[in-house]
Amino acid sequence: MQDKLIDIKNEAVAQILAAKDARELEDIRVEYLGKSAGKLTLLIKKLPGLPPEEKAIVGQFANEVKQTIEETLQAQKKAIQKEKEANIAETEKIDVTLPAVFPPEGHLHPITKTLKEVYEVFKFMGYQMITGPEIETDEYNFTRVNMPKDAPSRDAQASFYLDTRNSKIYPGEYLLRTQTSNMQSRALERIRPPFRVFSPGKCFRVDDVDASHGFEFWQFEGILIDKNITVTNLLGTLDFILKSLLPGTEVRFKSGHFGFTEPSIEAMIRCTICGGRGCPYCKNLGWSEILGSGMTHPNVYKAAGIDPRGWTGFAFGMGLSRLALLKNQIDDLRVLTNSDLRILKQF
Amino acid sequence: MLIPLSWLKEYVDIKIPFKDLAERLSEVGLTVETWHEQDGDIIFDPEVTPNRPDWMSVYGIAREIAAVTNSKLKNQNAKLQFKINKSLKIDIKQNYDLISRMTSVIIKDVKVKQSPEWLQKRIKQIGLRPINNLVDITNYVLWVYGSPLHVFDYDKIRGHQLIVEKSAGGEAFRSLDGIDYHLPNGAIIIKDLGRIVDLPPIKGGQNTAVSTETKTVLLHSVVCNPILSRRASQALGVRSDSSAVSERGVDPNGTVAAVDLALSLVLELAGGQVASEIMDHKTQEFAPWTVEMSHDRLEKILGIKISSREVKDILTRLGLEVAGEYKVTVPTFRDDLHIEEDLIEEVGRIHGYNNFPKTLPAGPVSTAPVAYARDFDLEFRVKSLLKGDGYSEIYTYSLVGERQLVDLGIDPGKTLRVDNPISRDFEYLRPRMIGNLLEAMKLNQANFSDIRLYELGKHYTGPTIGKAKEEYWLSGAQTGEKFYEVKGIIETLLIQFGVPYEIKPDNTSAQGHPGRSAVISSGDKLLGYLGEMHPALLARFGIKGHVSGFTINYDTFTSLVNLNKKYRPISKFPAVVQDVSLIIPEKVLYGDVLEAIWSTSKLIADVQLLDKHEQSTTLRITFQDTTKNLTDREVNELRAKILKKLAELGVKNKD
């Protein structure tokens, strides 16, 4: 019996040490230690039949054999693992220059990305974001911002008029807003000063479509009403906003003319195409107009029922589409309404 | 309008280089961006803002240059001396509402011929064609003073009378350049005995035009009602140099100097004798007016310290008279200056905004909710989530064509439309974005197999302008039979933003696949739809294969968003997990099974679909009591209760 146990032990240990992988080791374990048919298990099952004095000695020896086999199995398992790990550089090698598996990747539109930047700058300056209707009355779009009917300043903003059939509305009364300045009329009417708001949105003008014109485009408008607001406040605000949105740019101002402001001021930036050396885009001036602004006209306050002597403030408007073009070096406004993924994937 | 630099120099000394002058003028509001050199002269094309008709003349620009460069404006042309031979008469019936001033003179024995070289050169420089000495003189004087002039062949004026009227509409009129017009209602016209002879300020009539046979002329300068001038120009689609000035408002005191200069040129270049006195028909004396400005308010608005000497100097240089601090007398050529703020702007712009310090407003910053407020942070988070789902954002036109509406099965007659579309393709306001979305899918199908696009934009719904409504919707689409993927995207969106929702089958939509569409709601509010698109719809848009998508009412969505999070501790007691295999009849929806299970007990913490074959559906139910350990008996009772409830639906337990 003991001889048999020694044979089994030697046989098992030899096999274990020759084993190359975990599967082989498991087979060996089952061969000797398996619950039903393991060679050692079967021998141990015979122990109860031995005489008592022999049973104790052989039993102890059998346990030692079992323990040796188990320990050798463990040791060999570790050794195999260690050897395997030492070689993974070769055995598990992959070509890391093969193409990646990309997660599905979507893209934000350049207008959204630009608006996000605009939003952050305004938020920093304490402005709240508001939005309003695109189908607008002539009154809110023009009259209340001091652009009465027959004002020549309306010529630059040819409007789409809504079909009024089957309604009680007069033709010409409703239009698609030509400027976000309709929100000046609405903010002054509904928001109690002092306030700082800005309003981005889509605007519509009857215009031929080309690289720099479209009949639908995006603007944003900033409005601040408070006490003791000055032109220097306006210039400082514009300077900060433009330099935040277009880092590295230079800003200059010139006198302008807008119905809703008096005085009216336009801001110019260093031409982004030529950097100011002069090019066809900036008509060799080195500067291009970017923004219209001014101190809110007394007539605008009056139209909203606010005492122009009690409050001062300013408003300014800028092309969000134009800014998106500048920031992404897009040379054609039509790119912004083109849904070709070959374009969208670039942003 | 084109302005030659040499012509300006007749009225003002210009010592700085032209480029500097252009920059300085642009800075004060007279934008000079385009110019060219021609025969040693510089011709430039200033952009004149609508408030400054005085800049639509050589003399007016010279006056501005004198103010900004602090140089002297040269005297206007000397007062003309002539002998009047009162032999000819004209009977003028004025209508002062239409023409507030008309200054006229008759000249006989003129010789109509080519203009001399110098005059032809000026006419060519300003982009016009020399015609004859008399016509050229009227254009020359218009350029100098910005006062429109017209010259009639006196002998052709029937009855020697001129009657100012409003057109009734539909009258025929042939202009001196031979073009026939049908006049709109309300245009200013001048008639002789029975004929329309002039359409001021737009064009003169051919019937009384000056020709080489002309011996006697009537020359006049008119100040037309700007609004009527503008309306007539717009109605006819014609804008002449004279009408462009008139729409903005001609200086009512400019006619006399204009006629004086024109008359002296006629006598010099065409000979003849003055055959009438200078007839000045005006509604009133056009007197200057005064505007008061306080130094305190000036500094308060501009935000700078400025000496009253500089203020007076600036205003005086601009041709205004200043008394005290400050009573300002405004001449009639500056009709844009009527209130204190107007004068403040004059001081600001001439002082130069680039010389101002830059400051930031010191006032309070409000965080109180305001009308029209919009949560852009939320919008950006929603878009970022979709970006992570592989969706790319598009911005499409709000205006769409009738064809698209018909393809979508929408009645154009009940859709908002504009009266003056730029083309038939952009005539209606989109009541849905899905049309544009499908067009975008089609655009990409040649280049991409997996297309995922969305837009957050407005739906404009009618049916009439009286009931017009604008709502933000979030609509997206992707290629393939991806109902469950889209459902996952939308449910993730709703869960992340704390919007309670229900998704139920829907076969009411004309755009959705009748067997693969669902309606999303929250309580009694409709949130939107998701599902596969109807194959017939895809065919109409020329799309191959399948498209799945969603559309969410973004306004309703934002009204339901709840981002407040309340922490719940993890239970100290273990959960018990049980799997049940069910045979669900075809007519019973999985959603109903789920609802039945959930409604059984509050101890149910989770229900997951493990496996679904034709015959059997395996669910994994998690039971959890956060206050104590669940016993086997309790769990078995719950399981029995669930199975009983399911049996009522006709669902059998397979075990």
Side-chain angles (χ1 to χ4, degrees), chain A residues 134 150 155 252 254 262, chain B residues 27 31 230-231 345 460:
Chain A
E134 291 166 18
D150 292 309
D155 282 358
R252 273 183 76 80
K254 63 191 279 256
E262 191 74 37
Chain B
E27 208 170 275
T31 306
R230 182 163 181 266
R231 284 185 192 159
E345 173 167 68
Y460 312 81

Side-chain angles (χ1 to χ4, degrees), chain B residues 376-391:
Chain B
F376 182 76
D377 284 318
L378 176 70
E379 183 177 321
F380 196 76
R381 284 179 63 181
V382 167
K383 288 180 175 182
S384 300
L385 187 71
L386 287 169
K387 179 181 188 296
D389 292 327
Y391 272 75

Side-chain angles (χ1 to χ4, degrees), chain B residues 243-286:
Chain B
S243 68
V245 187
S246 299
E247 283 176 27
R248 298 170 189 221
V250 169
D251 176 13
N253 283 326
T255 56
V256 177
V259 167
D260 263 8
L261 176 59
L263 180 56
S264 72
L265 287 168
V266 170
L267 296 176
E268 184 189 330
L269 305 179
Q273 296 177 53
V274 182
S276 76
E277 53 183 15
I278 292 182
M279 299 162 275
D280 197 9
H281 294 81
K282 55 186 172 185
T283 174
Q284 59 175 87
E285 285 303 322
F286 294 95

